[in-house]
Amino acid sequence: MSPGQPTPSGDALLHEPRNELLPTLLSEHLETVAERCEEAGQPLPGFVLRELRELVGCGDLSLGFYRATCTGCGLDRIVGFSCKRRSLCPRCGGRRMAQRALWWRQRILPRVPVRQWVLTLPVPLRLRLAWDDDLRKAILAVVLRTIFGHLKRAAKKRGLRAPRCGSITATQRFGSALNLNIHFHILVPDGVFVRRSPRHRPHFVSVKPTTEDVQLIVFKIARRVHRLLDRRGLLEEGLCPDEQEHPFHRASVSGRTVLGERPNQPVARLQQLDMFGNQPTKLPRRCALFRGFNLHAGVRVGRHQRDRLERLCRYIARPPLALDRLKQRKDGKILLTLKRPWSDGTRALLFEPEAFVERLCALIWKPRVNTVHYHGIFASGSAWRAEVVPDGVRRQKQARLRRAQGKRLGFDERWVPWLSMLSHVFGHDERCPGCGAKRWVYDAVLGPWRVRRELLAMGTDRSPREFAPARGPPSLW
């Protein structure tokens, strides 16, 4: 404790992960899955094991915690340290989702209509993009060039000169069944930006695509991606080289499992009865399918719907796993409830514990892979960015003034403080619930002896979670 800081009382507000199923599951079965991969000659990559092991200790108070103490009444707010992993952790992913959505709403996306373009890729291409990040960026460039080109041609037909577009792209690695599914979520202003003269600021002109336009765009995307693969020689040598492929990835893409009681079999499904039968569903408006490429552009947010825009941003930046849809049955199997039933009536999937850990291993990104991209006028090097983004001109003038005065440029804080983020997302008051003050003193509690002493003072005693040793049976594939 720092000098002058009030001694914490026994009463404290503890913020820990509410659902302990995921860390318990990983601590009991991760080492078994890793050993079976070693026996089969297909060891798990080091970054996969490192992320899953650190996820187990995310938010565990016995490993250290952060304390905010009210200077008025001495009430403590206790929160465990996060693992800061970005692929699977629901806790860290939820915070990153809320912060990123708030940043996009306040600093990037202007007050114009925004449309979401979602592109799903063919199955063989998903397996290749699980490892080939350069190809993923090249395909994304093809997709954006096709969408931007259509919007610009439609604007030029109206007599507009030199139109420009912008986009924010979030690449998701997961599907609704926690399967490996590389696809793009792209936020594009529903129109173009034009400048009447060099002295005028850019203004927005709406350009709405039709269903026929979406069909033409997906046809061009499929043709151009095919040409890209042909130029790189991937059509001849195959999209899935054996030296970079892991059995977990191929099984996840195809909806099967490698481990468990039913190896190399589809995942068990729980279906609900449909008294009217399963009718074939039609494609919605502004949706097209061509040779495995599925493009959907039916979600549009108006210029004044900023709250809805932030919800859409949270949706495309969300983590893959929602803990409230994950349960463990009495027989030990993991039940994953789908958010929406599938067209065949499937409402839930049933996994063996080891098969579920196998699914999680396939969803982890390689290190130093950027999954969020800014293009067009939203790119950092765009000359129009400061004139288009909210409050960009004022921040640009402040930067020029500080540069002229020889001062260091200030950093735009993207990461909102913990208490402020709780207040923004959940409506929690930043004031102390005991005395109503808004004055907090922060302290990081580290070291095993100090952590144990502080937890005992608060009336709780806990030890770090340990991993269970690997156990049989031997490899099944």
Side-chain angles (χ1 to χ4, degrees):
M1 300 290 290
S2 58
Q5 184 175 345
T7 303
S9 61
D11 298 331
L13 303 178
L14 303 180
H15 296 273
E16 292 183 288
R18 298 180 180 179
N19 194 326
E20 295 290 339
L21 175 58
L22 184 59
T24 302
L25 188 67
L26 290 175
S27 63
E28 293 179 355
H29 300 279
L30 178 59
E31 299 302 326
T32 302
V33 173
E35 182 171 314
R36 293 191 183 183
C37 292
E38 290 282 353
E39 295 174 356
Q42 295 283 350
L44 289 175
F47 65 89
V48 173
L49 293 175
R50 183 167 54 252
E51 175 140 355
L52 293 179
R53 286 168 179 167
E54 293 187 9
L55 189 151
V56 174
C58 183
D60 191 354
L61 297 183
S62 60
L63 300 178
F65 53 87
Y66 205 65
R67 174 171 53 203
T69 304
C70 177
T71 58
C73 62
L75 181 66
D76 291 338
R77 288 179 181 263
I78 306 298
V79 58
F81 291 134
S82 61
C83 63
K84 293 182 174 59
R85 296 297 173 176
R86 57 171 182 162
S87 295
L88 283 178
C89 181
R91 188 167 178 260
C92 300
R95 176 183 174 89
R96 188 176 290 107
M97 170 193 69
Q99 291 172 335
R100 186 165 285 165
L102 185 62
W103 173 262
W104 289 346
R105 172 188 174 180
Q106 294 182 348
R107 295 296 183 90
I108 303 297
L109 294 173
R111 287 187 174 272
V112 297
V114 176
R115 185 176 298 275
Q116 178 190 212
W117 298 73
V118 183
L119 178 66
T120 306
L121 304 172
V123 172
L125 200 54
R126 302 175 193 173
L127 192 56
R128 174 74 187 202
L129 298 186
W131 291 98
D132 196 340
D133 189 56
D134 293 335
L135 181 60
R136 179 182 65 89
K137 294 179 181 179
I139 292 178
L140 177 59
V142 169
V143 174
L144 294 178
R145 186 168 63 248
T146 306
I147 296 176
F148 289 176
H150 174 79
L151 297 177
K152 291 179 181 180
R153 283 191 297 271
K156 290 179 180 179
K157 290 180 180 179
R158 299 185 184 181
L160 301 176
R161 300 178 58 184
R164 295 193 183 185
C165 305
S167 67
I168 301 176
T169 305
T171 306
Q172 291 187 357
R173 193 182 175 92
F174 56 90
S176 59
L178 289 183
N179 57 320
L180 180 59
N181 183 6
I182 304 290
H183 59 286
F184 303 114
H185 287 257
I186 310 172
L187 295 182
V188 181
D190 202 21
V192 296
F193 289 86
V194 294
R195 192 192 296 270
R196 297 176 182 175
S197 67
R199 294 179 297 179
H200 290 83
R201 294 183 60 181
H203 68 279
F204 179 78
V205 179
S206 178
V207 179
K208 298 181 181 180
T210 62
T211 302
E212 291 75 15
D213 296 335
V214 176
Q215 293 174 352
L216 179 60
I217 291 174
V218 74
F219 171 75
K220 291 182 178 179
I221 290 175
R223 184 179 59 182
R224 293 177 179 178
V225 170
H226 186 274
R227 292 177 180 175
L228 174 65
L229 298 178
D230 190 20
R231 288 196 303 269
R232 298 196 174 195
L234 298 178
L235 296 180
E236 298 179 358
E237 68 180 22
L239 292 176
C240 305
D242 296 336
E243 63 270 11
Q244 293 184 351
E245 180 187 346
H246 196 277
F248 286 175
H249 293 85
R250 179 172 291 275
S252 180
V253 168
S254 60
R256 299 175 179 268
T257 59
V258 178
L259 303 176
E261 298 178 355
R262 303 170 65 246
N264 299 322
Q265 296 294 325
V267 179
R269 301 183 180 182
L270 300 182
Q271 297 180 339
Q272 56 186 1
L273 298 178
D274 189 356
M275 60 181 301
F276 300 102
N278 296 322
Q279 301 294 333
T281 58
K282 298 181 179 180
L283 292 177
R285 294 181 58 188
R286 295 183 177 88
C287 183
L289 176 65
F290 182 75
R291 293 184 179 179
F293 291 85
N294 191 326
L295 183 62
H296 184 271
V299 178
R300 181 180 184 270
V301 179
R303 59 179 302 177
H304 299 297
Q305 299 175 331
R306 304 299 288 182
D307 293 338
R308 186 186 173 195
L309 176 63
E310 185 174 353
R311 290 195 299 269
L312 178 61
C313 293
R314 291 183 189 178
Y315 170 73
I316 72 173
R318 72 190 187 278
L321 187 60
L323 294 180
D324 57 348
R325 294 194 283 117
L326 190 66
K327 296 181 180 179
Q328 188 172 19
R329 303 199 312 181
K330 295 182 179 179
D331 56 359
K333 296 183 178 181
I334 307 302
L335 183 67
L336 176 64
T337 306
L338 302 176
K339 185 178 180 179
R340 296 183 182 87
W342 291 349
S343 58
D344 61 351
T346 302
R347 60 177 178 83
L349 300 177
L350 198 60
F351 295 90
E352 296 290 334
E354 295 177 3
F356 184 78
V357 176
E358 165 198 329
R359 277 292 178 96
L360 299 182
C361 294
L363 300 182
I364 299 178
W365 286 100
K366 293 175 61 177
R368 295 174 295 277
V369 171
N370 187 13
T371 60
V372 177
H373 302 274
Y374 302 88
H375 290 86
I377 58 176
F378 295 149
S380 58
S382 175
W384 288 26
R385 177 186 171 103
E387 299 179 279
V388 171
V389 300
D391 205 21
V393 175
R394 183 185 64 83
R395 287 187 279 117
Q396 187 183 52
K397 291 181 179 179
Q398 290 180 351
R400 291 176 180 175
L401 181 60
R402 295 181 65 87
R403 190 182 296 110
Q405 296 175 353
K407 299 180 180 179
R408 296 182 59 183
L409 297 179
F411 177 73
D412 290 331
E413 183 61 38
R414 300 190 184 191
W415 306 110
V416 184
W418 169 64
L419 293 176
S420 300
M421 184 55 63
L422 288 178
S423 176
H424 175 74
V425 177
F426 301 105
H428 293 178
D429 194 355
E430 295 186 41
R431 298 184 179 275
C432 174
C435 62
K438 199 177 179 180
R439 297 169 297 176
W440 299 91
V441 177
Y442 301 98
D443 179 34
V445 179
L446 297 170
W449 294 104
R450 186 184 177 191
V451 169
R452 181 174 178 83
R453 183 185 61 188
E454 297 289 349
L455 291 178
L456 288 175
M458 290 184 288
T460 178
D461 184 17
R462 61 195 74 191
S463 58
R465 194 185 304 272
E466 297 181 355
F467 287 89
R471 55 186 181 274
S475 175
L476 296 179
W477 81 85

